[in-house]
Amino acid sequence: MAIELLEWLAATPLAAGLRRSALLYMFVNASHILSIGLLLGAILPLDLRLMGFFPLVPLSVVGPFLSRAAAIGLTAAIVTGFCLFSVRPMEYAGNPAFLAKIGLLAVGVANAAIVHARDSWRKAIAGVVVTASLRIAAMVSAAVWITALIAGRWIGFIQS
């Protein structure tokens, strides 16, 4: 079942178009890199602020903005990443670095969802003290997203 789905994906007009057009592939690839830049460029400063760095920067101001910017970057990275995946889905599905990246993305998204669902996030944004558990979640977040970036770069160096 999974193999048929991957073969179907490789045969879609999207995948065929990306394989045929170096310009289109380059544009999608550059968009993926830009999206990752937006994601990490927003999430890492937010994580650092939650960890206690830059205490003079008001979390009530930067927290919602950086959180939304990271969500936009993540969404765009997922969309562009899916497009890139469609070009060679069978190869990527067997690549350990790709699988690690996907697993790390799931952990990062789950961590963010848990943080945003908790009272400690809302209180921190309202100007109340950042709790130890929120600081730990920020440390996990920074480690996970940086590791996901490394795994993503590693994909091209592993033959599946």
Side-chain angles (χ1 to χ4, degrees), residues 8 22 24 34 37 43 49 56 72 86 95 106 117-118 127 138 149 152 157:
W8 171 83
L24 179 60
L34 181 61
I43 201 67
R49 175 60 186 88
L56 298 179
I72 292 167
S86 75
N95 186 307
R118 295 176 57 209
L149 174 70
F157 296 96

Side-chain angles (χ1 to χ4, degrees), residues 37-55 57-72 108 111-113 115-116 120-126 130-131 133-143 145-146:
L38 177 57
L39 168 63
L40 291 177
I43 201 67
L44 292 177
L46 178 57
D47 287 339
L48 289 170
R49 175 60 186 88
L50 290 170
M51 284 186 254
F53 294 90
F54 317 113
V57 176
L59 195 52
S60 61
V61 174
V62 298
F65 170 73
L66 291 175
S67 181
R68 288 183 188 110
I72 292 167
N111 185 55
V115 163
H116 283 78
S120 58
W121 168 254
R122 286 183 287 283
K123 288 179 180 176
I125 294 302
V130 176
T131 63
S133 65
L134 194 52
R135 289 183 194 279
I136 292 168
M139 288 180 216
V140 168
S141 172
W145 291 114
I146 290 169

Side-chain angles (χ1 to χ4, degrees), residues 12-97:
T12 61
L14 170 69
L18 285 166
R19 280 191 301 272
R20 276 195 312 267
S21 173
L23 185 62
L24 179 60
Y25 185 89
M26 182 215 46
F27 175 75
V28 173
N29 193 22
S31 298
H32 188 62
I33 293 166
L34 181 61
S35 300
I36 294 166
L38 177 57
L39 168 63
L40 291 177
I43 201 67
L44 292 177
L46 178 57
D47 287 339
L48 289 170
R49 175 60 186 88
L50 290 170
M51 284 186 254
F53 294 90
F54 317 113
L56 298 179
V57 176
L59 195 52
S60 61
V61 174
V62 298
F65 170 73
L66 291 175
S67 181
R68 288 183 188 110
I72 292 167
L74 175 64
T75 301
I78 289 170
V79 169
T80 55
F82 179 78
C83 292
L84 295 171
F85 175 78
S86 75
V87 173
R88 295 190 325 248
M90 299 292 279
E91 290 176 36
Y92 287 126
N95 186 307

